[in-house]
């Protein structure tokens, strides 16, 4: 079977990201690029060719997570069904916020923010800021189509994100009051979307 152009690079990129999650979870921000390369079965230079620096590698990890969270906003038919799209977005967001491995990584980023401000900025830019920007773009499209009436999409995206996140992420980061079940996640997501549409629907 002939190789598809770029296929090997994509596979290597995913292997590097998967290895980075493992190594960072075990060793924190001091994890070496050599160890990440060893786990990914690539050379250290390959990592630098793909991502340039540890901050950019971590940003790519966060970007992959954000792509998963915001995928429902880009699915075919999402624009015609804003409540369902928002509920799906909220559901995936909640699962990500209470995921133990993701929370462990977030603790590392927070703990290392003073010593590694470039990493902290990369995490914020690729994570919360990018997620809210994609949600704001969705809300702007819905408003242009006449399905919503949002005068400030960026602010409304912050409102929705805050409504969904509540104290769930903080409790997970602190290791207290854990244990959102799937039915609870479904209920919170559906209720947030419903109330948001009540506030901004036409």
């Amino acid at each position: 079977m002939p190789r598809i152009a770029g296929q090997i690079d994509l596979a290597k990129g995913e292997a590097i990201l998967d290895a980075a999650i493992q190594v960072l979870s075990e060793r924190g921000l001091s994890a070496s690029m050599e160890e990440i390369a060893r786990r990914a079965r690539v050379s250290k230079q390959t990592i630098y060719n793909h991502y340039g620096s540890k901050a950019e590698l971590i940003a790519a990890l966060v970007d992959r997570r954000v792509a998963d969270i915001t995928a429902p906003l880009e699915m075919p038919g999402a624009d015609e069904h804003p409540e369902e799209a928002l509920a799906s977005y909220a559901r995936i967001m909640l699962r990500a916020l209470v995921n133990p491995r993701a929370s462990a990584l977030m603790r590392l980023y927070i703990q290392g923010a003073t010593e590694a401000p470039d990493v902290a900025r990369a995490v914020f830019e690729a994570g919360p800021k990018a997620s809210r920007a994609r949600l704001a773009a969705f809300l702007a499209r819905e408003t242009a189509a006449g399905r919503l009436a949002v005068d400030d999409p960026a602010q409304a995206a912050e409102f929705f994100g805050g409504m969904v996140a509540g104290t769930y992420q903080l409790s997970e980061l602190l290791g207290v009051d854990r244990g959102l079940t799937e039915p609870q996640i479904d209920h919170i997501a559906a209720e947030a979307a419903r109330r948001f549409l009540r506030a901004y629907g036409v």
Side-chain angles (χ1 to χ4, degrees):
M1 179 181 294
R3 291 179 179 175
I4 300 172
Q7 187 177 41
I8 302 302
D9 284 348
L10 178 61
K12 283 183 180 178
E14 289 298 308
I16 291 166
L17 293 179
D18 290 340
I21 291 175
Q22 295 173 3
V23 177
L24 288 166
S25 297
E26 294 168 7
R27 306 197 177 181
L29 293 182
S30 62
S32 70
M33 297 290 254
E34 288 86 351
E35 177 62 14
I36 294 171
R38 188 185 70 76
R39 296 277 185 99
R41 298 183 178 182
V42 299
S43 70
K44 185 171 73 170
Q45 188 58 49
T46 295
I47 296 181
Y48 283 113
N49 288 344
H50 274 273
Y51 301 107
S53 68
K54 187 183 288 185
E56 290 178 47
L57 172 60
I58 291 173
L61 285 176
V62 177
D63 181 69
R64 184 168 68 170
R65 177 181 173 186
V66 167
D68 290 340
I69 293 171
T70 59
L73 306 179
E74 307 296 335
M75 294 288 287
D79 286 354
E80 289 76 26
H81 305 282
E83 185 169 347
E84 289 87 342
L86 289 170
S88 295
Y89 170 94
R91 192 176 298 113
I92 299 171
M93 177 181 168
L94 276 170
R95 287 179 188 143
L97 292 180
V98 301
N99 178 278
R101 172 171 276 185
S103 295
L105 287 173
M106 183 59 71
R107 286 189 209 100
L108 293 176
Y109 303 149
I110 293 170
Q111 290 166 0
T114 302
E115 291 75 22
D118 58 330
V119 171
R121 178 164 293 280
V123 168
F124 178 74
E125 295 283 344
K129 188 173 181 179
S131 177
R132 295 294 190 271
R134 294 181 194 183
L135 176 55
F138 175 79
L139 299 177
R141 292 198 305 270
E142 292 300 289
T143 297
R147 287 183 284 266
L148 293 180
V150 179
D151 58 348
D152 187 337
Q155 184 181 69
E158 289 292 343
F159 288 162
F160 187 72
M163 190 189 322
V164 173
T167 59
Y168 305 117
Q169 183 179 35
L170 181 59
S171 65
E172 182 67 34
L173 290 172
L174 294 174
V176 299
D177 197 26
R178 290 175 168 172
L180 279 182
T181 64
E182 274 299 309
Q184 286 173 321
I185 288 173
D186 287 340
H187 174 74
I188 294 164
E191 190 68 6
R194 185 180 69 82
R195 291 180 179 275
F196 188 84
L197 267 291
R198 181 181 292 178
Y200 288 102
V202 294

